[in-house]
Structures are given as structure tokens and as C-alpha cells.
Amino acid sequence: MLEITPQALMAQALALAEKSLWLTSPNPRVGCVITDAQGRILGQGHTQKAGEAHAEIMALRDAESQGQSVVGATVYVTLEPCAHFGRTGPCCDALVAAGVKKVVAALADPNPKVSGQGFERLRAAGIEVVVGEGASAARELNIGFFSRMVRRTPWVRLKVAASLDGKTALNNGVSQWITSAEARTDGHAWRARACAILTGIGTIREDNPRLDVRLVETHRQPHLVVVDSRLETPLDAHIFIAGRATLIYAAVINDIKKQALEALGATVIYTPGNTPETQHKVDLRTMMLDLAAREINELHVEAGQKLNGSLIKAGLVDEFLVYLAPKLIGQGADMAQFGPLEDLAQAVPLTFVSTKKLGPDIRLVARATGADAFT
């Protein structure tokens, strides 16, 4: 039985928020629990897919469906109730209209359209507001949303499947399968939580992957993003099979190919570098800013060693999702191609976040040191 404490009730709200992990993009993942004075749960819910009800509305509906009055109730919610008209109406107004007495929120919404305004309107209506319980876990669930709102760039997660000696393919290009079925299924779950999957034209040409979510259930397919400086993406590439939004970033203008790709449903965006040395390459930082403007919170990278290296060199990778198989390959393709470095002090510093055994393999999650320190 759930222990009735503020901490336990916020933990329940966080568990509900986690249920929306693969659902709400580009909206934040939020959970809500409404209780009476004794801590008895009257209603609960989590945010639905974009354009549908937020967590607070789902919890209010849940209470109503059970014949429970929420007048004088306490609301535990993992993010500040919204205060603006977006795809849905303001949740703070719905809570005021419902007659709740107190709102306990994990943290303020970083969205400038909301930040602090939801709390202000609740307090103006005489509702007590307490902020801070569960803040770290709530932010972690929404690391991409916070990144987009605060830094104006997505949270970039680079996924690699490799041998223990860090090789992602044999010299002849063969890479299927270095890691196990368990690791591949887990990788699809991480794909599913992302707003978009990024790859490069080299991977498209060499592997012709689909890069969609197939091994786990999903309510939506993430967008696909391709770095293709010269617009060389084949018109019969498998990436078009899933029928999801596809963004192709290019540098060299080719309007005939652009028209053909857009006839397949893709969107072509020209983002060349601004120097003679880079004008024929996609400016990766400009691309990230554009992706954030297109509401991409989490960007999941599955690319080859060249693009991986370029992203790392540009300081654009926040997190590394690495699957290591218990085998040695020797010569082969590396995880990323950059350098050479002249001093160990130039190495990219990382902080290990977690490790997990998946079948015979190990999953490592590491972050670029300080990547999550933005406020």
C-alpha cells in the first residue's frame, strides 16, 4: 500500500509522468495526483499526446469519473501547471475552477510562456503553492524539453553499438550484429522516447537503414533528420518507408533534387557554413538551433564515425548511449573519428550516469561533463 506522505505522493506523480515518456513529444512529460486532506487519492493522470489533455486535466477527469469532489483538495504535479493557450487551455485555470486548495509542484516550467505565471495565477486565486519536491527527477524526465527552452537546442544523445575494443563495424563495413537482440530492443526504446533520430548520408548510402521504431510498441514514430550536404539521399531509400516527417539538412543547393525529395514528403533545409572552408558542409550548430525551433526536444543520433566525430568536435553531444558487446574485433570502424589530440588534457571529459546488463552486453550512459548544468 502506498505510504501517505508528500514524498510518496510526488513519487506517484513522477511514476505517472514516466508513463508518458514515449507519448507527449514535444510537450513535457508530466504526472498529477489529487488527494483529499488525509492523503487519499481522488484522481490521477499523466499528459497525453500533443494536442490532447495535460496531466492535471486527466487527474480531474479521473476524479470526476469516480464521483469524487476535488474542492479543497491538494494537487501533486511534476511541473508547473501551464498558464497559456497552446494546443490546449491553461491547466492553472482548470485547477482554480475545480476549487482545489493547494498545489505541490516539483519545479517551475522553463517555457517563457508559462514560467512562474501558472504559480502566480494559482496564488492570486488563493491557492497555496509549494515548489521543489521531486525537482531533480522531474527535470531528468524532461531533460530535452528543458534543453530546448533554456539553451534553444535539443538534448543530443549519441547511440553507439560496439565491441569491447570500441569498434562499430569490421573493415569491410559489416556491423550486423555486434550486439545482442536484447541490446537492440533497448535501443529501440530509446529511439521511441526521442523527438527525432539523426543520421548522416554515409549511413544512408552504406546501410540503407529504416531507422524507425519496430522492436517496442510506440504511439508515434520519431521524425528523421539527415545530414546530407550535397543532397545525395536516394529517392528509394528505406528511410521513407515509415512515412514520418523527414528533415534533410544540406549545404549545396540542388533545387531539382530538393523538389524530388520533397515530393516524397521530406523537408529540405539549407544550412551551409559561413566560411570558404565550410560553405559546402552543413553547419551543425545552426542545424541544432533550427531543430529546436521545430520543437525537437531529444535528438537521438545513430550515425557513422565521421558524423559522430564532427558532432563531438563541435561540442554538440550531451549524452552517450553505448552498448558494448563482450567481443574483440581489432581493426574496424571506430565509434567516432576526430583528432588526433596532442595532449590527454584535450580529451572530452565524461561523467558516467548508469550501467546496465542487457543479455550478454552492457549498456553505458555517460554525459559530457557539465552538459546538464544549464539553468
Side-chain angles (χ1 to χ4, degrees), residues 306-362:
K306 185 176 179 181
L307 180 53
N308 286 351
S310 296
L311 290 166
I312 293 169
K313 188 176 180 180
L316 295 174
V317 179
D318 299 303
E319 188 168 75
F320 294 82
L321 174 67
V322 181
Y323 298 90
L324 290 178
K327 59 187 69 168
L328 301 175
I329 287 178
Q331 292 186 0
D334 293 321
M335 294 184 183
Q337 190 178 81
F338 65 99
L341 306 181
E342 296 179 356
D343 192 288
L344 281 175
Q346 298 173 313
V348 178
L350 304 177
T351 302
F352 285 119
V353 175
S354 67
T355 61
K356 185 175 182 179
K357 190 85 160 28
L358 294 168
D361 305 322
I362 292 176

Side-chain angles (χ1 to χ4, degrees), residues 3 13 41 59 62 80 92 103 121 137 145 147 155 157 163 174 177 182 202 261 284 288 306 310 312 314 352 358 369:
E3 184 184 3
I41 294 177
D62 184 41
E80 176 182 3
C92 63
V103 171
R121 279 159 69 166
F145 181 73
S147 176
W155 179 259
R157 181 180 295 115
S163 60
V174 172
W177 298 104
E182 292 91 338
L261 289 166
L284 298 175
M288 294 300 177
K306 185 176 179 181
S310 296
I312 293 169
F352 285 119
L358 294 168
T369 302

Side-chain angles (χ1 to χ4, degrees), residues 157-161 184 187-188 190-191 196-200 203-204 207 209 211-212 224-225 299-304 307-308 311 321 323:
R157 181 180 295 115
L158 192 156
K159 179 256 182 180
V160 173
R184 293 195 295 276
H188 276 238
W190 285 84
R191 279 184 186 178
I197 299 169
L198 171 70
T199 196
T203 299
I204 299 294
D207 299 338
L211 286 175
D212 56 357
L224 185 72
V225 181
L299 183 64
H300 179 95
V301 181
E302 294 196 30
L307 180 53
N308 286 351
L311 290 166
L321 174 67
Y323 298 90

Side-chain angles (χ1 to χ4, degrees), residues 92-93 96 116-129:
C92 63
D93 291 353
V96 170
Q117 297 178 54
F119 293 151
E120 288 178 12
R121 279 159 69 166
L122 291 170
R123 290 185 175 116
I127 297 172
E128 181 185 357
V129 176

Side-chain angles (χ1 to χ4, degrees), residues 121-170:
R121 279 159 69 166
L122 291 170
R123 290 185 175 116
I127 297 172
E128 181 185 357
V129 176
V130 178
V131 185
E133 184 66 49
S136 178
R139 184 179 185 272
E140 188 62 33
L141 278 171
N142 291 293
I143 191 72
F145 181 73
F146 272 74
S147 176
R148 176 165 69 89
M149 290 297 163
V150 176
R151 301 189 302 180
R152 298 292 185 264
T153 57
W155 179 259
V156 180
R157 181 180 295 115
L158 192 156
K159 179 256 182 180
V160 173
S163 60
L164 189 59
D165 53 348
K167 302 303 178 183
T168 60
L170 304 181

Side-chain angles (χ1 to χ4, degrees), residues 19-365:
K19 289 184 177 181
S20 62
L21 194 63
W22 301 274
L23 182 63
T24 65
S25 175
N27 291 339
R29 299 130 178 176
V30 182
C32 180
V33 174
I34 304 175
T35 72
D36 63 14
Q38 289 72 46
R40 184 173 60 92
I41 294 177
L42 305 174
Q44 56 187 327
H46 60 78
T47 301
Q48 303 299 296
K49 63 183 180 181
E52 296 185 3
H54 290 187
E56 298 92 329
I57 305 304
M58 293 299 293
L60 289 170
R61 289 177 182 173
D62 184 41
E64 183 180 14
S65 72
Q66 299 179 65
Q68 301 285 0
S69 170
V70 299
V71 174
T74 297
V75 177
Y76 294 84
V77 63
T78 60
L79 192 67
E80 176 182 3
C82 65
H84 69 297
F85 284 91
R87 297 179 178 89
T88 60
C91 290
C92 63
D93 291 353
L95 293 175
V96 170
V100 305
K101 182 180 180 180
K102 181 178 179 180
V103 171
V104 180
L107 71 178
D109 191 326
N111 187 343
K113 295 178 181 178
V114 178
S115 189
Q117 297 178 54
F119 293 151
E120 288 178 12
R121 279 159 69 166
L122 291 170
R123 290 185 175 116
I127 297 172
E128 181 185 357
V129 176
V130 178
V131 185
E133 184 66 49
S136 178
R139 184 179 185 272
E140 188 62 33
L141 278 171
N142 291 293
I143 191 72
F145 181 73
F146 272 74
S147 176
R148 176 165 69 89
M149 290 297 163
V150 176
R151 301 189 302 180
R152 298 292 185 264
T153 57
W155 179 259
V156 180
R157 181 180 295 115
L158 192 156
K159 179 256 182 180
V160 173
S163 60
L164 189 59
D165 53 348
K167 302 303 178 183
T168 60
L170 304 181
N171 268 344
N172 61 10
V174 172
S175 62
Q176 295 182 341
W177 298 104
I178 290 176
T179 52
S180 64
E182 292 91 338
R184 293 195 295 276
T185 298
D186 189 73
H188 276 238
W190 285 84
R191 279 184 186 178
R193 67 171 282 169
C195 294
I197 299 169
L198 171 70
T199 196
I201 182 58
T203 299
I204 299 294
R205 282 197 307 247
E206 292 165 20
D207 299 338
N208 197 17
R210 287 174 57 173
L211 286 175
D212 56 357
V213 179
R214 302 183 303 280
L215 302 183
V216 297
E217 279 191 40
T218 185
H219 295 277
R220 60 175 181 83
Q221 287 291 340
H223 299 344
L224 185 72
V225 181
V226 182
V227 176
D228 180 8
S229 294
R230 299 180 182 277
L231 282 185
E232 298 171 315
T233 299
L235 299 180
D236 60 352
H238 289 167
I239 58 170
F240 297 114
I241 292 174
R244 68 276 174 83
T246 301
L247 306 173
I248 301 177
Y249 286 86
V252 179
I253 294 175
N254 182 340
D255 286 338
I256 294 176
K257 185 63 175 289
K258 177 178 183 287
Q259 186 176 10
L261 289 166
E262 293 191 336
L264 294 172
T267 299
V268 175
I269 307 106
Y270 290 113
T271 54
N274 56 11
T275 68
E277 294 78 19
T278 63
Q279 64 181 340
H280 298 305
K281 298 180 180 179
V282 170
D283 186 301
L284 298 175
R285 191 167 296 278
T286 299
M287 178 186 73
M288 294 300 177
L289 292 169
D290 186 72
L291 286 170
R294 295 173 187 270
E295 298 189 308
I296 301 301
N297 295 335
E298 293 185 17
L299 183 64
H300 179 95
V301 181
E302 294 196 30
Q305 61 181 354
K306 185 176 179 181
L307 180 53
N308 286 351
S310 296
L311 290 166
I312 293 169
K313 188 176 180 180
L316 295 174
V317 179
D318 299 303
E319 188 168 75
F320 294 82
L321 174 67
V322 181
Y323 298 90
L324 290 178
K327 59 187 69 168
L328 301 175
I329 287 178
Q331 292 186 0
D334 293 321
M335 294 184 183
Q337 190 178 81
F338 65 99
L341 306 181
E342 296 179 356
D343 192 288
L344 281 175
Q346 298 173 313
V348 178
L350 304 177
T351 302
F352 285 119
V353 175
S354 67
T355 61
K356 185 175 182 179
K357 190 85 160 28
L358 294 168
D361 305 322
I362 292 176
R363 184 189 73 198
L364 300 174
V365 178

